[in-house]
C-alpha cells in the first residue's frame, strides 16, 4: 500500500501549500442576480470568466458572487435551455452585474458539429436521431455521460463509464457490453462515432479523453442506423471546436504504475472566427493488477470547423490511436470451479506476447441551412484498423490424460500469430425539414445511407494447438482415446501437447518466454471479406398541442460476398423493412410520458462476424421492442428523472460452443423484460448527482440445449444500481473544495451455459457492491483531484465466459490528477 500512502501525502502537501500562492493582481468582487424574462430567479446558472478557471453558480434566489481580477474581463452567463449572455467589463472596484436570460429556440444546428459549452453532468439535447431533439421528446430511453462526469470519476475507458447507466454492464475486458441483456461488441457495427457506424478492434476498450459524451439509445435502433444490436447502440460524441479559447493540460499518477498526460486546446483559428480548432492529445503508460499486462496508448484527435456563413458549417474530425499492449483473455481457475482457487492476477500469457493496434477515424461533416425550415446535411466517416498479434491463450479446455479425463490443474494452450486489416466507409446524407401544416408542427428527416466494410487480402494467421502425432512431425487438433496409437504419449501414457500446457500450480514457469520455434504451426488465411449496404429512410415527428407522434420507416438492402476474392466468390443479398413508431405526451411542462415500438435486423455473415473459425452460415438476427416510460424535469430543468418498462424479443443469437475454440452456435428465441430508473443533474447549484437502477429478466425461450431454456442469459444481471454525487463548497475557508461519493451494485451473473452440467451446477460470478470517492480542489487555474476506487478492496468479477476466461475487477486503487486550465 506504499503508493496509496505516497499519493495521499503528495496530495496533502499540495493542498496545504497551494493556497499560499499569491496572485499579483488585485482581487475584486463581482455579484448580482440572474433572472428570466419574467423576473424569476434562475438557480444553478453558471457564471465564468473567459480565459480563466474562475467560475460559480447562482443560488436558489438566482444570486451569484464571484471573486475576479481587476482590469478588463469577459464574463459568460449560461443556463440550460436559455441563450447565453456575455458581458465585457473593465473593473477597478467591486461591481454589481444583473443579467436577464432569454429562453433559447430549438433552431440550432441539425448535425452535431458545434461544440458544447456547458460544464455539467446533464445534457438537454441529443443529435442521435439525425435531428436535434430534446431528450424528453425522444420516445425511447437514452442514457449518457458527459465529459465532466467522466473527468470527475477519473475514467479513461468506455467500458468503465457505462457503470453509470441503467441496464448496461461490461461483458468482459474486451470492447463489449451487455445492454438490457444483449451483448454489444465494438466489432459488430453497434458502436457509433458522431452518429455514424464504425467498429473497433474489439480487444481493447475505446479511450475517452477525446469524447464530449457517451450516449446509449436503448433497444433496436435499426430504423435509424441499419443493422444493430437489439439491446441498443453506443454513440461516442467527439469534442468539437468552440468559438472561445479554452486550454487545459493534466497529468495523472496512480496505482499499477499508471502515468497519463492529457491536453485539450480549442478556440478561434482566425480573427473573424470563421475557422475554429480543437486538439485533444493523450498519452497513457500503465501496468495493471493482472500478470504481464500493460497499456501504452497515444491518442491524437484534431478537429476543425469552418464557418463561411451563418448558414453553412463544415467540420473535420480525426481520431488516431496507437495502442501497444497484451491481449488479456482472463483469469483461469481450477476444474473444481472454485473462483478463489487461483489469484485474480493470474493470466495465461507469456512474455513473448504482444498486441499492437493502429486505428484511425476520419470524418467530414457539412450542414447547410437553406431557410428557417429546411437544411441539408451530409457526413462521411472512414475507419482504418490494423492488428499485429502474438498470443499464448487458453484452448477453452483443460488438458486430458490417456483416458480423455480432464487434468484440472493444467490448462490447454494455443499459440496464435495474426496480422490483419479492416477498412470501413460510411456516408449519410439527409434533409431536415420543419414545416407547419395547420395545427401540426413537423420534424421530418429523410435520407440515404451507404456503408461498406472490407477485410483486404494479406491477412493471415499461424496457429499451434492440439496434440502431437505419433511420429512427432505434426499435430492433431483433438485427442480421441480410442485412437491413442495415433498420438505421441509421455511416460505416464498421456498425450503430449503441441503447445505445453499451462501449469496452474506453477504459473511462473508457464509465463516465462517460450521457444515457439519447436511448435507445429498450421498456416491459415484471414479470409478477405466485403459487404456493402444501401438504405433509405424517412421519419416524421408530428406535434399537435401536447402530443407528439413519431412515424419512421427504413429500407435496408444488404449485399455480402461469400468466398470473397476466390474462384467461388458469390454475391448474396438480403433486405429488410424496419419501422419505428412512438408517441410522447406532455402531461405538464415538466412531465412527458411515451410509448414506442421498434424493430431490429442484423445479418450474421462472415463479414460481420469477422472470425473465419466461427462456423455458419447463420440466419440474420431479428428483433423488436415495446417500451413505455416517463421523463420528468425538476429544479428549472436542472435535474431529470426518467423511468421505463420494456420487452425485447430476438431470434437467431450466436453463442460460444463450450470447449471448442471460436466455434459459434445459433439458438432460437430470446426475451428481455425489465424496468429502469435514471436520475441526472443538479439538486443544488453546487451539488451534482447521477443515479440509476435496473431490473432485467433476460432469458432464452428456445434452444437446441434443453437446460439452457428459461435461465438468465450470460453476463446479464437481474439487478443493478449506481450512484455518484459531487458537492462543491462555494463559500468560507473550504471554498473551492469538492467531495464525491459513489456506489455500484451488480447482481450475480451466469456465464456461458455448459451443456455438460445441470442448470444448478452452472458457474456464476457473485454479486458485489463497490465504494468510490473523489476529492477536488480548485485554486485559480490549477485543479487537484484524488480518486479512490473500490475502497475496501472488494473482490469481484466484471464479466466472464467460462471457468478458463473470467474477468476480475480492479482491486483498491488511487489516482492523483493535477490539471491546469486557462
Amino acid at each position: 500500500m506504499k503508493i496509496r500512502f505516497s499519493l495521499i501525502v503528495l496530495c496533502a502537501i499540495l493542498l496545504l501549500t497551494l493556497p499560499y500562492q499569491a496572485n499579483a493582481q488585485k482581487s475584486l468582487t463581482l455579484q448580482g442576480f440572474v433572472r428570466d424574462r419574467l423576473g424569476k430567479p434562475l438557480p444553478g446558472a453558471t457564471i465564468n470568466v473567459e480565459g480563466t478557471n474562475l467560475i460559480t453558480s447562482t443560488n436558489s434566489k438566482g444570486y451569484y458572487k464571484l471573486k475576479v481580477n481587476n482590469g478588463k474581463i469577459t464574463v459568460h452567463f449560461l443556463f440550460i435551455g436559455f441563450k447565453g449572455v456575455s458581458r465585457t467589463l473593465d473593473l477597478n472596484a467591486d461591481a454589481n452585474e444583473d443579467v436577464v436570460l432569454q429562453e433559447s429556440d430549438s433552431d440550432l444546428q441539425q448535425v452535431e458539429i458545434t461544440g458544447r459549452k456547458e460544464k455539467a453532468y446533464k445534457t438537454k439535447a441529443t443529435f442521435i436521431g439525425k435531428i436535434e431533439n430534446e431528450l424528453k421528446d425522444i420516445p425511447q430511453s437514452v442514457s449518457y455521460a458527459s465529459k465532466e462526469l467522466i473527468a470527475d470519476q477519473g475514467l479513461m475507458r468506455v467500458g468503465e463509464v457505462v457503470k453509470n447507466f441503467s441496464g448496461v454492464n461490461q461483458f468482459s475486458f474486451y470492447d463489449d457490453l451487455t445492454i438490457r441483456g444483449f451483448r454489444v461488441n465494438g466489432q459488430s457495427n453497434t458502436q457509433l462515432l458522431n452518429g455514424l457506424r464504425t467498429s473497433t478492434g474489439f480487444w481493447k476498450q475505446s479511450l475517452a479523453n477525446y469524447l464530449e459524451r457517451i450516449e446509449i439509445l436503448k433497444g433496436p435502433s435499426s430504423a435509424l442506423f441499419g443493422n444493430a444490436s437489439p439491446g441498443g447502440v453506443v454513440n461516442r460524441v467527439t469534442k468539437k471546436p468552440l468559438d472561445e479559447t479554452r486550454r487545459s493540460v493534466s497529468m495523472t499518477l496512480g496505482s499499477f504504475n499508471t502515468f497519463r498526460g492529457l491536453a485539450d486546446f480549442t478556440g478561434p483559428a482566425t480573427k473573424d472566427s470563421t475557422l475554429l480548432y480543437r486538439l485533444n492529445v493523450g498519452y497513457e503508460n500503465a501496468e495493471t493488477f493482472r500478470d504481464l499486462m500493460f497499456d501504452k496508448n497515444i491518442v491524437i484527435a484534431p478537429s476543425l470547423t469552418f464557418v463561411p456563413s451563418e448558414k453553412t458549417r463544415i467540420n473535420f474530425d480525426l481520431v488516431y490511436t496507437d495502442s501497444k499492449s497484451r491481449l488479456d483473455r482472463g483469469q483461469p481457475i481450477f476444474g473444481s470451479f472454485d473462483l478463489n482457487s487461483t489469484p485474480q492476477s493470474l493470466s495465461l500469457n507469456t512474455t513473448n506476447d504482444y498486441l499492437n493496434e493502429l486505428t484511425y477515424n476520419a470524418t467530414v461533416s457539412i450542414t447547410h441551412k437553406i431557410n428557417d425550415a429546411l437544411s441539408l446535411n451530409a457526413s462521411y466517416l472512414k475507419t482504418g484498423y490494423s492488428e499485429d498479434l502474438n498470443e499464448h491463450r487458453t484452448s477453452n479446455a483443460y488438458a486430458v490424460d490417456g483416458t480423455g479425463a480432464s487434468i484440472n490443474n493444467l490448462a490447454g494452450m494455443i499459440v496464435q500469430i495474426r496480422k490483419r486489416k479492416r477498412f470501413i466507409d460510411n456516408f449519410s446524407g439527409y434533409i431536415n425539414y420543419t414545416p407547419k401544416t395547420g395545427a401540426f408542427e413537423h420534424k421530418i428527416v429523410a435520407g440515404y445511407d451507404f456503408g461498406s466494410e472490407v477485410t483486404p487480402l494479406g491477412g493471415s494467421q499461424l496457429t499451434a494447438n492440439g496434440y502431437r502425432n505419433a511420429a512427432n512431425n505434426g499435430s492433431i487438433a483433438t485427442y480421441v482415446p480410442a485412437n491413442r496409437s495415433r498420438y505421441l504419449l509421455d511416460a505416464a501414457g498421456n498425450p503430449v501437447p503441441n503447445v505445453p500446457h499451462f501449469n496452474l500450480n506453477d504459473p511462473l514457469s508457464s509465463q516465462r518466454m517460450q521457444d515457439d520455434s519447436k511448435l507445429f504451426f498450421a498456416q491459415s488465411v484471414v479470409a478477405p471479406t466485403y459487404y456493402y449496404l444501401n438504405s433509405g429512410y424517412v421519419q416524421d415527428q408530428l406535434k399537435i398541442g401536447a402530443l407528439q407522434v413519431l412515424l419512421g420507416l427504413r429500407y435496408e438492402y444488404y449485399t455480402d460476398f461469400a468466398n470473397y476474392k476466390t474462384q467461388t466468390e458469390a454475391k448474396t443479398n438480403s433486405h429488410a423493412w424496419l419501422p419505428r413508431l412512438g408517441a410522447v405526451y406532455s402531461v405538464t411542462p415538466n412531465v412527458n410520458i411515451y410509448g414506442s415500438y421498434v424493430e431490429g435486423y442484423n445479418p450474421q455473415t462472415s463479414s460481420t462476424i469477422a472470425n473465419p473459425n466461427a462456423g455458419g452460415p447463420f440466419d440474420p438476427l431479428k428483433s423488436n421492442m415495446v417500451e413505455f416510460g416517463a421523463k420528468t424535469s425538476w429544479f428549472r430543468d436542472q435535474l431529470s428523472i426518467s423511468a421505463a418498462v420494456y420487452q425485447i424479443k430476438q431470434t437467431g443469437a450466436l453463442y460460444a460452443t463450450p470447449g471448442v475454440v471460436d466455434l459459434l452456435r445459433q439458438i432460437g428465441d430470446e426475451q428481455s423484460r425489465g424496468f429502469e430508473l435514471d436520475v441526472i443533474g443538479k439538486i443544488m447549484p453546487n451539488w451534482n448527482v447521477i443515479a440509476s437502477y435496473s431490473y432485467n429478466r433476460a432469458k432464452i425461450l428456445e434452444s437446441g440445449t434443453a437446460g439452457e431454456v428459461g435461465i438468465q442469459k450470460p453476463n446479464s444481471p437481474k439487478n443493478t444500481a449506481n450512484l455518484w454525487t459531487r458537492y462543491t463548497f462555494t463559500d468560507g475557508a473550504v471554498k473551492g473544495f469538492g467531495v464525491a461519493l459513489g456506489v455500484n451494485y451488480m447482481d450475480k451473473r451466469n456465464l456461458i451455459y455448459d451443456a455438460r452440467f445441470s442448470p444448478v451446477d452452472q458457474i456464476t460470478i457473485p454479486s458485489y457492491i463497490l465504494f468510490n470517492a473523489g476529492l477536488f480542489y480548485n485554486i485559480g487555474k490549477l485543479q487537484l483531484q484524488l480518486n479512490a476506487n473500490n475502497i475496501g478492496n472488494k473482490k469481484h468479477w466484471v464479466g466472464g465466459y467460462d471457468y478458463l476466461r473470467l474477468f476480475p475487477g480492479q482491486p483498491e486503487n488511487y489516482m492523483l490528477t493535477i490539471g491546469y486550465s486557462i
Side-chain angles (χ1 to χ4, degrees), residues 388-449:
D388 183 6
L389 171 69
N390 189 105
E391 68 162 336
H392 292 72
R393 58 160 293 185
T394 171
S395 65
N396 300 349
Y398 293 106
V400 297
D401 62 17
T403 67
S406 294
I407 306 175
N408 291 337
N409 68 310
L410 298 177
M413 295 296 291
I414 294 176
V415 175
Q416 289 183 331
I417 304 172
R418 181 171 63 238
K419 292 188 178 183
R420 61 176 173 175
K421 295 182 178 181
R422 188 167 68 255
F423 299 96
I424 302 169
D425 292 273
N426 271 282
F427 170 80
S428 181
Y430 55 95
I431 64 167
N432 292 125
Y433 186 42
T434 56
K436 291 185 178 181
T437 56
F440 290 92
E441 299 177 19
H442 300 264
K443 285 187 177 181
I444 298 173
V445 181
Y448 162 78
D449 285 352

Side-chain angles (χ1 to χ4, degrees), residues 104-139:
S104 64
D105 301 323
S106 61
D107 184 23
L108 301 178
Q109 77 275 13
Q110 302 301 311
V111 292
E112 191 159 25
I113 60 176
T114 297
R116 170 180 171 269
K117 293 183 178 180
E118 289 83 4
K119 297 180 179 180
Y121 289 179
K122 186 177 182 296
T123 294
K124 184 178 182 181
T126 179
F127 300 82
I128 197 171
K130 299 189 177 181
I131 189 170
E132 187 191 32
N133 245 324
E134 292 193 25
L135 288 164
K136 68 177 183 179
D137 293 332
I138 297 176

